[in-house]
Amino acid sequence: MKVGNFVYWRTCPGHLSAFQRNQIVEVRGDRARLRFFRDFIAIADLELTNPGEGEQIFCKRYGTPITNDWDDYDDW
């Protein structure tokens, strides 16, 4: 996985469920940091997903690239 990928956080704590679908902003080894979070999450707990319309609009407004390469999806 890489910066800009949209993911579904499978082990997201219930009180953070609004952030269960999120975008990777930093990767370090086998851990990734999601937008609006300070701590890193294990990549094994993340699953690639399509960005929704609202997420695409957000990224366009704030100049955040979306890097989901669906041709490479089978590699995960």
Side-chain angles (χ1 to χ4, degrees), residues 26-44:
E26 187 176 353
V27 175
R28 290 187 186 169
D30 65 344
R31 301 185 72 71
R33 188 168 63 85
L34 303 179
R35 182 168 311 289
F36 309 117
F37 285 92
R38 170 181 65 175
D39 297 330
F40 284 77
I41 298 159
I43 288 176

Side-chain angles (χ1 to χ4, degrees), residues 4-32:
N5 284 153
F6 268 85
V7 294
Y8 176 79
W9 183 7
R10 290 187 296 244
T11 59
C12 180
H15 68 287
L16 299 175
S17 63
F19 301 101
Q20 198 162 17
R21 289 176 51 88
N22 212 315
Q23 187 177 29
I24 296 175
V25 295
E26 187 176 353
V27 175
R28 290 187 186 169
D30 65 344
R31 301 185 72 71

Side-chain angles (χ1 to χ4, degrees), residues 4-7 21 23 49-56 59 66-68 70:
N5 284 153
F6 268 85
V7 294
R21 289 176 51 88
Q23 187 177 29
T49 188
N50 281 318
E53 186 177 336
E55 294 159 336
Q56 292 176 27
C59 288
I66 299 172
T67 58
N68 284 32
W70 298 107

